[in-house]
Amino acid sequence: MNRSRWLLLVAIAALLVAFFAFDLGRYFSIDAFKSQQAAIDAYFRAHPFQTAAIYFALYVAVTALSLPGAAIMTLAGGAVFGLLWGTVIVSFASTIGATLAFLASRFLLRDAVQTKFGDKLAAINRGVEKEGAFYLFTLRLVPVFPFFIINLLMGLTPIATRTFYWVSQLGMLLGTIVYVNAGTQIARVDSLKGILSPALILSFVALGVFPLVAKKIVDALKARKVYAKWPRPARLDRNLVVIGAGSAGLVSAYIAAAVKAKVTLIERHRMGGDCLNTGCVPSKALLKTGKLLATIRRAQDFGIRAAHAEFDFADVMERVQRVVKTVEPHDSVARYTALGVECIAGEARIASPWSVEVRRADGATQILTTKAIVIAAGARPFVPPIPGLAEIGYLTSDTVWNLRVLPKRLVVLGGGPIGAELAQAFARLGAKVSQVEMLPRIMMREDPEVSAMVMRQFRAEGIDVLVDHKAKRFLRDNGEKVLVADTEGREVRIPFDEVLVAVGRVANTAGYGLEELGIPTTKARTVEVNEFMETLYPNIYACGDVAGPYQFTHTASHTAWYAAVNALFGRFRKFRADFSVIPWATFTDPEVARVGLNETEAREKGIPYEVTVYGIDDLDRAIADGDAHGMVKVLTVPGKDKILGATIVGEHAGDLIIEYIAAMRHGIGVNKILSTIHIYPTLVEANKYAAGGWKRAQVTVGQMSVLEAFQAWGRGEASLGRVLGRLPALVSDKRKAYAPAHGIAATEPTP
Ligand SMILES: Cc1cc2nc3c(=O)[nH]c(=O)nc-3n(C[C@H](O)[C@H](O)[C@H](O)COP(=O)(O)OP(=O)(O)OC[C@H]3O[C@@H](n4cnc5c(N)ncnc54)[C@H](O)[C@@H]3O)c2cc1C
C-alpha cells in the first residue's frame, strides 16, 4: 500500500475512532433531534443558508464515512427544510457522500481485492460492466442492504464513477422523498419504527419489484426488436428442433423427449457426430492397440523372455471401425426414435427464428416450425493456410480413419491433445513420427513439467518431437513430400509420406442461417451465447463445440443440458451454465488429467497457492504393475483446506482425477480425501497420498514443539509447566515442520 493510501486509511480510521470514542452516535436519534428541534428551527430562521450548508456538510461526512445516522439526518432534513428543499439537499448530500465512500473504497481496496479474488469476481465484473447501472438501481430502490455496504462494495467493481453517481441519485430519490416527507411529520413520529408502517413497507416492496418488472419490459422490447423482421407463425408444430446429432445434439434431444416435448433432431452426416465417428471412440480404440504393442515390447520388464506382435495395420483400423459400430446403437436413429425423438437425415438451415428448413437426404425439402431451436452443429479440423499443404494433400482427424496402409513416415502437425494422442498411437504401430509444434513444448495448456514428462516418453518411444518448429511450406522434392519448418532462425527439411494436420478445431458457423439471422460469432469463432447458452434470439440456443468455450464431449453434454432446459422452460426459469469445475484428460501414455487450476494459470491470474506433489513412482500398485511413473499434483489455497485444482499424470489419470473433480464440485477439502478409505493396493491411493502430503505440509514447528513437550510430560519426563510454556509457539512459530521429502513436496505459498 502506498503512502497516500496509508494516509487516507489513517484519517478515516481516526475519524471513526473519534465518532465511537466520544459516543457521537447519541446525537443521531429522534429524541436527540426533537430535544434540539426548537433551537435548530430558530437558527434556521435567522441563518437559512448557513444552516443548509452545515447540514449539507454534516450529511456528506456521515455518508462518506459510512457512519450510522443518515436515516435520522434525512428525517431531520425534512423537519427543518420541508419536503422540497429537504429532498433537494438530502438528495445531493447523500449522493455526494455515497460517491466519496465509493471512491475511498475503490482507492484503498479495489486493486488488492481484484488481485486476490480476480477469477472469482470475473463473472461479477462482467455483470457489472454489462448491467451495473441496472443492478445498482435495483439495490438503491430496494433498501434490503444498508446503503453504506452498497457504496463500499460497488467501489470494488469496475462500474464508472459517473454511472455510480447518477444511478445512485436517481435510485435513492424515491426513498429520499419518502423519508424527507416522513421527517416533515416528525413531531408526530417517535421512532424509526413508526415510519416503517405497513403501507410504507408495501411501497418499498413495490419499488423493489419495479426494476425487475422494468427488466422484463426491457427484455421484451429487445426481443421485439430482434424478432421484428420475422413474423411468428400462428401455429408451431414442435417445441424444439435440434441441429446436429453429435454429443450436444443428442443430449439436447434426449432431454426434450424426456420431458415430453415434441422434438426433431436433424443430422446431415452420421448420428453420434465427431465423438463416435472420428473423435473419442476411434482414437481411444486405436490407442488401446498402441498400448498393447508397447506393453509387448516391454515384455522382459514383466519376466517374459520374448514376446512379439504380428499384425496388419489394416486389421487394426478395421477393429477401430468395429468398435465404432459396437458403440453406434447408443447414438442411433432407432434408439432416439424409441425415446420419442423425431430423427431426420438431412441438412438443416434456420430459415427464421421459428422455422428450420431441411434438405433431406432423399432430396426433398421440408419446413419445420418450432418454438425453440438448439444449434449443436459442432466443429471441424482447422487447416492452416500453409503454402503447398493443399497441393500435397493432408490427413485430418476426419480422414485419418480411412487409412489402411500405415504411413512409413508421418508428420503430425500440432502438439495439442489430438496431435499428441495420434502421434503416439501411430508411432506405436510402427510409423516414424515427427511431431511438429511451433510452441516451446507440446500440450502447452498443462504445466511445463507435465509436458516434459510426456515429451520424455514420446522421445523414448522414438517420436521426433520438434518443438519450436514453425511449419513454413510443403513441397515435393524428387517425388518426395517435404515439410520446410523454421527453427531458431534456420530452415529444416522434414521428409514424410503423410501429414496429419491437428492444429485445432473451428466451430461450424457458416451456411445454415446464422448469417441471415444476424446471429453473431465470437473472437474464438464460436456462436455467441450468453450465460444461459442463449443466442441473440431468446428462443435459439447453442451448445457443444459450436458454442465452446471447451471442446470436449462431456462439456458438450453439460452445455446441452442448459441449452435444452432453458429453451424449453426459460419462460419460467433460466439456468446459468456453470463452468466452475471443468475437467479433461489427454489419453497419451502417460495419461494427463486435470481439473481446475494448474500452477501456470494460478501464476498468470495472480492467485496464491500451495502445491503438493505425490510421485506415483512410489506407489505400491504402480510398482507392481510396472507403471511406476507420473504424479498427483494438487493446488490448494495457502493455509486452507480448499482445492484450487489438480493435475494427474500416469496410468488411468483420467479415472483417478474423478476424486478431485467430485471434491471441487461439492466443496470438499483435501482432509476429506485423506480420511476416505482407499482400497489397497490401487492406483487411486495416489490421491490419498497426495492428500497426506498436503496434511503433513500444514504441520508447523510450533505444533511439533507442543506435541513433543506433551509426550515428554506423558512419560513423566517433563512438567505440565513445560507443556503450557510452549503453547504460545502455536501462534508464534508457523514455520513448516517438514522439509519437502521424496515424493511429497510442498512449496511455500507463491505470491
Ligand atoms: C480425434 C479426436 C479425439 C477426441 N477425443 C476426445 C476425448 O477423448 N474426450 C472428449 O471429451 N472429447 C474428445 N474429442 C472432442 C469431442 O469429439 C467433441 O468435443 C464432441 O464431439 C463435440 O460434440 P458436438 O455435439 O458439439 O459436435 P459434433 O460431434 O461435431 O456434432 C455436430 C454434428 O452436427 C452436424 N451438423 C452440422 N451442421 C449441420 C446442419 N446444418 N444440419 C444438420 N447437421 C449438421 C454434424 O454433421 C455433426 O454430426 C475428440 C475429438 C477428436 C477430433
Side-chain angles (χ1 to χ4, degrees):
M1 204 183 261
N2 64 23
R3 200 161 160 260
S4 44
R5 282 195 171 108
W6 273 116
L7 281 176
L8 181 63
L9 195 66
V10 169
I12 291 174
L15 289 168
L16 288 175
V17 168
F19 181 86
F20 290 106
F22 296 111
D23 190 21
L24 300 179
R26 67 184 188 277
Y27 297 114
F28 295 92
S29 71
I30 297 254
D31 288 343
F33 173 71
K34 276 179 143 183
S35 66
Q36 297 297 321
Q37 192 173 3
I40 294 169
D41 281 345
Y43 187 79
F44 173 57
R45 277 193 297 277
H47 312 281
F49 291 110
Q50 285 94 324
T51 314
I54 292 167
Y55 173 84
F56 191 91
L58 200 60
Y59 201 116
V60 169
V62 164
T63 41
L65 289 169
S66 306
L67 293 171
I72 299 295
M73 286 211 60
T74 310
L75 294 171
V80 177
F81 305 110
L83 179 61
L84 177 65
W85 284 110
T87 302
V88 171
I89 295 169
V90 171
S91 174
F92 280 95
S94 60
T95 312
I96 290 170
T99 308
L100 288 175
F102 160 90
L103 287 172
S105 151
R106 174 161 287 186
F107 181 62
L108 292 174
L109 301 170
R110 188 173 69 171
D111 289 351
V113 171
Q114 289 289 350
T115 310
K116 193 152 185 208
F117 305 106
D119 64 324
K120 291 197 194 85
L121 295 177
I124 296 177
N125 288 343
R126 272 199 307 277
V128 167
E129 265 162 24
K130 219 167 148 196
E131 295 193 273
F134 178 76
Y135 290 146
L136 179 60
F137 190 64
T138 310
L139 289 168
R140 289 301 192 201
L141 274 181
V142 192
V144 174
F145 298 106
F147 281 170
F148 80 93
I149 290 181
I150 297 170
N151 302 338
L152 300 181
L153 288 183
M154 289 308 280
L156 307 177
T157 72
I159 195 168
T161 309
R162 199 191 311 170
T163 309
F164 177 86
Y165 181 90
W166 75 257
V167 174
S168 296
Q169 184 141 32
L170 206 65
M172 292 191 293
L173 193 57
L174 285 170
T176 302
I177 293 170
V178 170
Y179 265 73
V180 171
N181 183 45
T184 60
Q185 313 293 312
I186 205 151
R188 278 182 274 133
V189 173
D190 294 332
S191 70
L192 271 181
K193 268 196 192 145
I195 294 165
L196 293 176
S197 63
L200 206 60
I201 288 172
L202 216 66
S203 64
F204 271 121
V205 171
L207 290 178
V209 172
F210 167 73
L212 300 176
V213 174
K215 180 153 170 48
K216 283 267 173 235
I217 294 167
V218 171
D219 284 351
L221 289 174
K222 271 194 208 157
R224 247 177 91 107
K225 216 166 125 196
V226 288
Y227 288 122
K229 278 203 295 182
W230 311 102
R232 190 179 191 269
R235 222 186 90 82
L236 300 168
D237 299 333
R238 291 159 180 81
N239 299 97
L240 189 66
V241 166
V242 180
I243 299 174
S247 315
L250 289 169
V251 171
S252 305
Y254 182 101
I255 290 169
V259 296
K260 295 289 166 214
K262 198 165 173 214
V263 53
T264 300
L265 176 65
I266 307 163
E267 171 55 55
R268 68 176 172 194
H269 194 33
R270 282 184 285 183
M271 292 288 284
D274 271 357
C275 185
L276 171 65
N277 299 293
T278 55
C280 336
V281 176
S283 62
K284 267 74 256 179
L286 192 67
L287 287 168
K288 181 69 188 177
T289 305
K291 174 87 178 169
L292 179 65
L293 291 171
T295 311
I296 292 172
R297 280 181 202 123
R298 291 179 53 212
Q300 287 184 354
D301 292 354
F302 299 95
I304 295 166
R305 203 170 303 146
H308 79 283
E310 264 176 39
F311 68 96
D312 187 349
F313 177 73
D315 294 340
V316 174
M317 296 305 266
E318 285 306 326
R319 178 204 170 246
V320 168
Q321 288 313 310
R322 279 201 304 281
V323 171
V324 172
K325 284 264 165 299
T326 312
V327 179
E328 220 169 54
H330 302 170
D331 299 350
S332 63
V333 168
R335 175 170 180 233
Y336 276 79
T337 307
L339 286 168
V341 178
E342 180 194 21
C343 299
I344 300 182
E347 174 103 27
R349 191 181 67 82
I350 306 173
S352 82
W354 321 105
S355 61
V356 174
E357 183 190 280
V358 193
R359 206 151 21 88
R360 300 177 72 116
D362 58 15
T365 301
Q366 188 181 355
I367 297 277
L368 316 174
T369 57
T370 179
K371 196 153 172 24
I373 297 169
V374 166
I375 302 168
R380 63 184 185 285
F382 171 64
V383 179
I386 302 173
L389 178 60
E391 293 76 18
I392 216 151
Y394 56 86
L395 298 164
T396 65
S397 60
D398 280 355
T399 57
V400 71
W401 312 108
N402 301 329
L403 281 181
R404 289 299 177 269
V405 177
L406 179 73
K408 280 201 176 65
R409 295 166 303 173
L410 177 70
V411 163
V412 175
L413 210 58
I418 294 176
E421 287 183 7
L422 292 177
Q424 190 173 36
F426 274 88
R428 287 179 159 186
L429 287 163
K432 176 75 196 111
V433 175
S434 303
Q435 191 177 12
V436 178
E437 167 58 61
M438 64 178 184
L439 297 171
R441 55 194 173 88
I442 61 169
M443 294 175 55
M444 250 332 252
R445 216 169 169 182
E446 308 302 341
D447 277 340
E449 78 272 29
V450 175
S451 299
M453 284 176 178
V454 178
M455 276 162 59
R456 206 178 308 129
Q457 179 64 23
F458 275 25
R459 286 182 172 139
E461 293 186 13
I463 300 173
D464 197 9
V465 184
L466 300 169
V467 289
D468 279 323
H469 277 62
K470 188 171 164 53
K472 293 294 280 187
R473 59 186 182 278
F474 288 87
L475 50 89
R476 260 181 207 278
D477 192 2
N478 278 332
E480 189 174 56
K481 296 176 186 175
V482 177
L483 162 63
V484 180
D486 239 12
T487 182
E488 294 169 349
R490 67 193 162 83
E491 281 192 347
V492 290
R493 294 163 73 88
I494 306 159
F496 65 90
D497 299 306
E498 293 286 356
V499 55
L500 170 68
V501 179
V503 293
R505 297 171 57 71
V506 274
N508 293 322
T509 54
Y512 59 92
L514 301 189
E515 302 91 339
E516 291 80 352
L517 265 81
I519 294 176
T521 52
T522 64
K523 270 195 218 143
R525 295 200 272 163
T526 51
V527 173
E528 189 175 293
V529 288
N530 62 13
E531 63 269 52
F532 306 111
M533 307 309 295
E534 179 187 284
T535 67
L536 177 68
Y537 292 82
N539 74 323
I540 303 182
Y541 291 75
C543 54
D545 282 7
V546 80
Y550 299 93
Q551 290 186 330
F552 304 112
T553 293
H554 45 277
T555 48
S557 316
H558 182 69
T559 50
W561 186 91
Y562 291 98
V565 170
N566 288 336
L568 293 167
F569 300 107
R571 255 187 309 169
F572 309 106
R573 184 171 171 202
K574 278 188 199 161
F575 296 85
R576 276 190 178 78
D578 177 1
F579 293 111
S580 56
V581 181
I582 299 292
W584 62 82
T586 304
F587 297 90
T588 43
D589 183 2
E591 215 163 282
V592 176
R594 174 134 80 90
V595 58
L597 290 180
N598 66 2
E599 268 198 279
T600 314
E601 286 173 357
R603 264 195 225 113
E604 277 166 9
K605 293 180 179 171
I607 297 170
Y609 63 92
E610 233 173 24
V611 56
T612 308
V613 179
Y614 171 74
I616 296 181
D617 50 336
D618 223 23
L619 185 70
D620 294 2
R621 180 56 188 264
I623 295 168
D625 285 354
D627 289 320
H629 57 83
M631 64 167 181
V632 176
K633 181 174 179 182
V634 185
L635 266 66
T636 43
V637 175
K640 288 203 181 129
D641 185 8
K642 186 167 173 14
I643 303 168
L644 293 168
T647 301
I648 303 185
V649 183
E651 291 294 305
H652 301 293
D655 298 313
L656 303 194
I657 196 89
I658 187 69
E659 196 164 13
Y660 285 100
I661 303 171
M664 287 186 73
R665 177 77 189 158
H666 301 292
I668 291 169
V670 186
N671 261 321
K672 288 272 193 307
I673 292 179
L674 185 61
S675 63
T676 302
I677 299 172
H678 290 63
I679 294 171
Y680 180 85
T682 53
L683 293 178
V684 82
E685 277 189 297
N687 290 342
K688 184 176 160 145
Y689 289 128
W694 171 84
K695 184 82 177 172
R696 205 172 140 83
Q698 307 309 308
V699 179
T700 65
V701 172
Q703 289 166 340
M704 291 308 271
S705 147
V706 174
L707 274 176
E708 191 224 348
F710 174 77
Q711 300 297 5
W713 172 67
R715 294 191 304 272
E717 288 172 14
S719 66
L720 187 59
R722 187 163 136 203
V723 181
L724 295 176
R726 293 221 180 152
L727 286 180
L730 287 177
V731 181
S732 64
D733 198 345
K734 297 265 188 189
R735 283 173 301 146
K736 303 270 187 208
Y738 295 103
H742 170 69
I744 302 173
T747 70
E748 287 300 309
T750 311

